[in-house]
Amino acid sequence: MGVSRRALIKQAGAAALALGLTDLAISSGAANAQAKMYAQALAQSSGRKLALLIGIDTYPGGALSADRPLSGCTTDVELQKALLIYRFGFSPADIVCLTDQQATRTGIYQAFIDHLYHRAKAGDTVVFHFSGYGAQVRVEDPLGGQETVRSLVPYDGFLPTESSPALNDISEVELKSLLKLLKTQKVTTVLDAGFVTPAEPLSGGLRSRARSAVVTGQPPAPFPVLAEQRSLKASDPFPGVLLRGADVVDAAFERRWNGFSAGAFTYALTQYVWTAPAPITVGRALGRSQETLLRWGGSNQQPSVSSSRKLDLRTPEKTPPLYDTPLLPGTRGQGAVQSITAEGGKTATLWLGGLPPRVLEYINSSTIMSCNGRQLRLNSRRGLAGKAKIIDLSASSAPPIQAGAPIFESVRVLPKDIDLVVSLDSRLERIERVDATSALSALAFVTSTSDTNLPADCLLAKPVTNSPETLTASLQPQKMAQAESAADTDPTEPPKPANSPSDESDEPRGSFGYGLFSLTRLLIPGTLALQDEAIKPAISRLTPKLQSLLALKMLRLSENRASSQLPVRVSLEMVSPDEKRLISRQTFQIGQAPMQPIAFGREGFAPQVQIGSRVRYQLFNDGEQPLYYTLINVDPRERLSAFCPIRDLSAPALEEGSAQKIEGIAATAIAPGSSVMIPSPTTDWAVKSPPGPVETYVVCSTRALTRTFNTLLTASANSGNQRINPLPDPLAVIEALLSDISASSKSSDTYSLDVSQWATLNFTYQSF
């Protein structure tokens, strides 16, 4: 079992969040300095831009021992290629892609020499990307000693044999030695490969990118261009900037989505870069990628960056531009038009690499995209490419759609029958899986699968009892949460069953019940019973948590910061013991100049808020329409709480279209050009235990949130507070919220969400 979600965040999350959590400035001096840096980068961007992209999914026999083929590395190549062309202005002729059997040791070397070594001049930009298996190998020296080094496995990275004892991998030392020979210093290396194999089997479509076998062999023949060169050391830095998909001590994963697989890091990185405004720095891109990886399921995959130059990650806005080159103006979007059909220009091929993958899963023929003021209705999708029909050809005021133009969501369509997909651990006995499938099938909102290759949202499993250290590490935060919350019981929280984790003894017993885990086997707090139990009672015990996880999944599907056309800003401020702004977020309106990052906290790390501190949120409506709003928090135990703006909690239900609605709901709206504080200045809102990451979702809508407020009023009747913590029925609240912001009728089987009418902003801070 891996470390707990909370322990992971404590170790790695603070630095990662610091690298990219905030996006608004509080000082014009910082904004002016960054604008000057970006202008200088633009002025220096006249050199050639070269890229060598490598992705290997299918390896031949003899290269991997018992490892299975990968399936997302060639997708990584497509993701990077599209991003470099459409957002950074690389010419397709200057991008060389090697996939599968093309990417042999010799093939990679020859492409490097021909495309980069002979062509790159001083001042040129070079991007080298590798997706595939990483490995650790023991290299024998002539004196009989051995040295363990990290390597990248090419297509023909065969394991040494008695008849062929030489290693055929490309060691990191060899790669950095090749890069050192380039005449330019503007070099970025991206390695989406791992060197650590997870100790436990993976589920939910996850694959590890580390070759499990640590083999011993003789060094391969040196590359010709390196034969006369001084060998670099393993400790020498990579030239330029090195981005790793995972730290060398972490596992690197690729993940299966609906219709395609991709490296978790490459997808998170490229998706962010598609949608973010300029300038995008190395530090900010890395931090936002880590935040996305955590939100995708508590992944214990922590990206890292190193450089031969000095990088101060405490001020990520001052790190170099990503890929050492500025973005092309006017290219921000959620994808781009790849081509227009010659027949009347009525259909277009779209690249959808900037859409959130969870949204992409549900995209259908009702989805509408926009481009240059025109609308496109999506007809079909295959992987990350889509076919769309241009539905307003008669619009005379809008310019024609051209290849390369950015696209945005216009109408997001989500089904109402979204399921929570639960993967059953492959180590469960057959009878356990049969009983679990039967019990879960009785829950209308759950789909279960024993196929480890299929995408899933969480894992049902038992902990490994023969691993006391990792078990104790995973359970400790849960014990801490119970101890710290003993005096903070909310009356709206339902009582726990007798065999729930609240009945844990101080020491783990020999038998354990079932629990819910992330796909990377991080324990979801509050779900593990530390005593033996049958599978059907366990699922009955876990049903409220499964409902909560589905509510969180649906809430995350509403996030639309990149595409919303509502001018909304949100800030999180600490009121006591100190008074300071912690986080600011705003929507990225089309054509709106982005504001700059705020200053970071102590040691440059993003907001870490001490338990007991008083905080408040401020919501700004910079538009011309009143906005209705609510705020939903997700605590370290992944419990949802919500804020109800209606002050009179004893008010009866609000009827749509009635005078009562006008009086009751209109009073809660944020007037144009105004702001509100949550809670009010006269009310304290304390950060409560347990420690860990706190996700915040602020939802604003031009539509009155009648159903949402009615649901919250029912819940608040028990607590008497505007903040309902925790929500007794989070799924009902989120379903009501999606119904409120949807343009679909009550009888429709979909939510139809117009980006001009709603905005959901999200961010995370760390309580300690």
Side-chain angles (χ1 to χ4, degrees), residues 150-463:
R150 293 187 296 270
S151 66
L152 306 177
V153 183
Y155 177 78
D156 58 347
F158 300 115
L159 301 175
T161 63
E162 289 187 9
S163 59
S164 180
L167 296 161
N168 212 37
D169 288 2
I170 299 175
S171 71
E172 285 197 350
V173 172
E174 288 180 297
L175 176 58
K176 73 176 68 172
S177 297
L178 289 173
L179 294 167
K180 186 77 172 178
L181 298 179
L182 298 179
K183 299 180 180 66
T184 179
Q185 296 182 356
K186 297 168 66 175
V187 178
T188 301
T189 304
V190 183
L191 301 182
D192 201 345
F195 308 98
V196 176
T197 303
E200 302 177 37
L202 298 174
S203 299
L206 285 188
R207 294 276 181 88
S208 166
R209 286 188 171 178
R211 185 173 66 187
S212 58
V214 180
V215 298
T216 303
Q218 298 174 3
F223 291 129
V225 74
L226 297 178
E228 304 299 326
Q229 300 291 326
R230 179 185 67 86
S231 297
L232 295 180
K233 299 177 182 178
S235 59
D236 290 334
F238 270 75
V241 173
L242 169 66
L243 293 174
R244 292 188 185 274
D247 193 273
V248 295
V249 297
D250 294 333
F253 298 105
E254 68 174 30
R255 182 165 183 165
R256 182 176 295 278
W257 302 97
N258 185 3
F260 66 97
S261 295
F265 171 70
T266 299
Y267 196 7
L269 173 71
T270 56
Q271 184 202 334
Y272 167 70
V273 177
W274 269 109
T275 58
I280 298 176
T281 64
V282 169
R284 189 176 301 158
L286 188 75
R288 289 303 301 275
S289 299
Q290 171 66 3
E291 188 180 356
T292 299
L293 289 174
L294 290 170
R295 195 170 290 119
W296 280 355
S299 173
N300 49 355
Q301 175 176 344
Q302 181 188 358
S304 67
V305 60
S306 60
S307 177
S308 57
R309 293 171 265 172
K310 184 178 180 180
L311 292 181
D312 186 0
L313 295 178
R314 294 173 299 177
T315 53
E317 71 275 11
K318 294 183 180 180
T319 55
L322 183 66
Y323 301 146
D324 267 315
T325 189
L327 298 165
L328 290 178
T331 59
R332 189 187 73 81
Q334 293 176 290
V337 176
Q338 290 185 309
S339 63
I340 303 291
T341 57
E343 184 182 347
K346 296 180 180 179
T347 60
T349 301
L350 309 179
W351 179 253
L352 305 171
L355 281 173
R358 296 188 187 277
V359 173
L360 193 64
E361 178 178 354
Y362 298 107
I363 212 166
N364 59 34
S365 58
S366 299
T367 299
I368 297 177
M369 310 295 292
S370 64
C371 179
N372 291 341
R374 296 181 182 268
Q375 291 190 326
L376 305 93
R377 187 181 300 278
L378 200 70
N379 291 331
S380 62
R381 176 184 70 87
R382 184 174 182 179
L384 287 156
K387 295 286 187 181
K389 180 181 180 181
I390 303 173
I391 58 178
D392 54 353
L393 289 170
S394 60
S396 58
S397 60
I401 295 177
Q402 297 180 342
I407 58 174
F408 287 88
E409 282 184 294
S410 183
V411 177
R412 177 182 298 181
V413 179
L414 301 172
K416 290 185 177 178
D417 59 346
I418 293 173
D419 288 345
L420 184 77
V421 182
V422 179
S423 180
L424 304 181
D425 190 359
S426 59
R427 296 177 309 188
L428 295 176
E429 299 290 338
R430 181 178 180 276
I431 187 60
E432 290 179 294
R433 293 198 298 272
V434 170
D435 288 346
T437 300
S438 174
L440 291 171
S441 66
L443 303 178
F445 63 93
V446 170
T447 299
S448 64
T449 177
S450 294
D451 189 339
T452 59
N453 292 319
L454 292 180
D457 298 308
C458 61
L459 175 69
L460 176 66
K462 278 188 171 182

Side-chain angles (χ1 to χ4, degrees), residues 39-54:
Q40 292 172 346
L42 280 170
Q44 298 171 1
S45 63
S46 57
R48 171 177 266 173
K49 302 171 184 178
L50 304 171
L52 176 56
L53 312 178
I54 300 162

